[in-house]
Amino acid sequence: MAREIKQAVRQTTGLSCSIGLAPNKLVAKIASELDKPDGLTVVTGHDIATRIWPLPVRRVNGIGPKAAAKLARLGIATIGELAAAEPALAGAAVRRRLRRLAGCTAAHGHDERPVVTYSEPESISRETTFERDLHAVRDRATLSRIFTELCLQVAEDLRRKRYAGRTIGVKLRFDDFRTVTRDLTLPAPTDEAATIRRAAGQCLKRVELSRRIRLLGVRVGAGTQPGGDRQPLRQRRGCPRGRRVSWSKSAAKGPPRSHKHEQLLKLIFHDPISGNIHWREIESLLSHLGAEIESLSGARIRVKLNRAEGILHRPHHSNVMNVQAIKHLREYLGRAGATPSMYEAPREAERKA
C-alpha cells in the first residue's frame, strides 16, 4: 500500500514523498523522516531501541527548542537518554513537563492517539513574502493593496470550498525574522471579503509596526464544514437553511456530530493526559461547541460555553499545548458539560431511529 501511495503521488504531482510504517502515529512520523528523500521506512516495536533511541530528542513531536535546551542542561541529548531519564528528572525543576515525556510514553515509542482518517481544515489562509522588506508608513499604499488582495483571495478560497469561518487572523514576519500573529473571533461565521478585511484590519491594529515587514498573511479558521449553503459546523443536519441551532440550547439532544472533534475530546479526557495537542485543534473544538472566545492580554483568552466562563492560556512560543494547559482545559470543559459522554445521546437516538 505504501508503494502504491508513493506511485500515486508521483503520477499526480510529479513529486516524490517519504513514508514511514510503524505501530503508531508518533513512531511513523519519525520513521518517515529517516530516509528522505523518497524513502520508505518500516520501524517495528522491536526496532525502537536500535533505530529511534539514538536520534536527537528534537525528533519527538512536542519537544521544541526550549524543551530540548532544558533537557540538554540535564545531560539528555538523545531519545534513548530521555527514555532512561525518569529517575534523574524526579527532583528537577522542569519535571512537570519533561518527566511526562520520559515516563514510558513518547521516548519509549508509545502513542495511544487514534488514527483519524478524515479531518476538516482547521483554517484557510493566504500569505506572501515580499521581494523587499516594506515600511509600514512609507509603503502603506502597497501594503494596503496587498492586504486587501489577500483577504479577497481567502474569501474566494472559502466560497470555492464551501466553507465559512469565525476566527480571522493575521500573520506578520519582520526584517529581523520575528513572527507575530493576532486573531479575532466574530459572532458568526463568514466568507465575505469585506467582513474578513475589516476584522483582519482590527487584528493588524494590535501589532506594533516599528520594523519593516517581510511577510504578510491572512487566515480564516475555527470550525466550519463543507456544505451546499456553507453552514457552520455547529449547524445540525436537517435544520432549515439559514437557521443555526447550538447544541447548548438543547443539551438532551447533544452536540452536532463530528468525528474529528469527538476524538479530540476523548484525547483531552484521556488518562494519562497527552501533551501533543495543537492549539488550533483546541480552537476548532471550541468553535464547534459554539463557545464565545475573547482574546485578552498576553496569551490568555476568555471562553464562555453553556453559561460556564473560564480563562484559558494559549501556548507562548509553540502551537503545542502542554500537559498543565490541557488539564486546565479539561477542568473547564467538564464544568461546561462538554465531555465525550455528550455524544452518546445523539448516537443512542440514531440507533433507536
Side-chain angles (χ1 to χ4, degrees), residues 160-172:
R160 185 176 66 255
K161 298 177 181 180
R162 300 185 182 279
Y163 278 85
R166 292 176 58 203
T167 300
I168 314 299
V170 297
K171 173 183 175 182
L172 296 95

Side-chain angles (χ1 to χ4, degrees), residues 55-218:
L55 299 174
V57 290
R58 285 291 305 276
R59 292 292 188 93
V60 178
N61 185 34
I63 299 183
K66 293 203 170 183
K70 292 178 181 179
L71 286 168
R73 288 195 290 271
L74 296 172
I76 299 170
T78 68
I79 298 175
E81 291 170 344
L82 177 60
E86 186 167 5
L89 294 176
V94 293
R95 65 184 180 277
R96 186 173 296 175
R97 168 68 174 160
L98 302 181
R99 209 166 117 194
R100 168 153 186 83
L101 292 172
C104 275
T105 53
H108 289 269
H110 296 287
D111 184 5
E112 297 181 359
R113 293 175 299 166
V115 175
V116 179
T117 58
Y118 170 79
S119 65
E120 299 150 357
E122 295 176 0
S123 65
I124 292 178
S125 63
R126 288 282 189 141
E127 62 182 41
T128 183
T129 301
F130 306 128
E131 294 182 359
R132 63 178 180 87
D133 299 336
L134 299 182
H135 192 277
V137 177
R138 290 192 286 273
D139 298 307
R140 181 173 181 176
T142 301
L143 283 168
S144 179
R145 174 179 55 80
I146 295 173
F147 191 49
T148 301
E149 288 176 356
L150 291 172
C151 294
L152 289 169
Q153 291 168 358
V154 169
E156 183 180 347
D157 292 342
L158 287 167
R159 288 193 293 271
R160 185 176 66 255
K161 298 177 181 180
R162 300 185 182 279
Y163 278 85
R166 292 176 58 203
T167 300
I168 314 299
V170 297
K171 173 183 175 182
L172 296 95
R173 182 169 297 137
F174 297 103
D175 55 2
D176 60 353
F177 289 92
R178 181 173 57 94
T179 301
V180 300
T181 60
R182 294 292 185 270
D183 291 333
L184 174 66
T185 300
L186 301 175
T190 185
D191 62 359
E192 296 296 330
T195 304
I196 294 171
R197 175 64 171 81
R198 184 163 53 251
Q202 294 177 23
C203 294
L204 202 57
K205 291 178 181 178
R206 293 158 44 203
V207 181
E208 182 181 354
L209 303 175
S210 57
R211 301 192 65 96
R212 288 181 174 271
I213 301 170
R214 181 179 183 85
L215 175 147
L216 181 62
V218 176

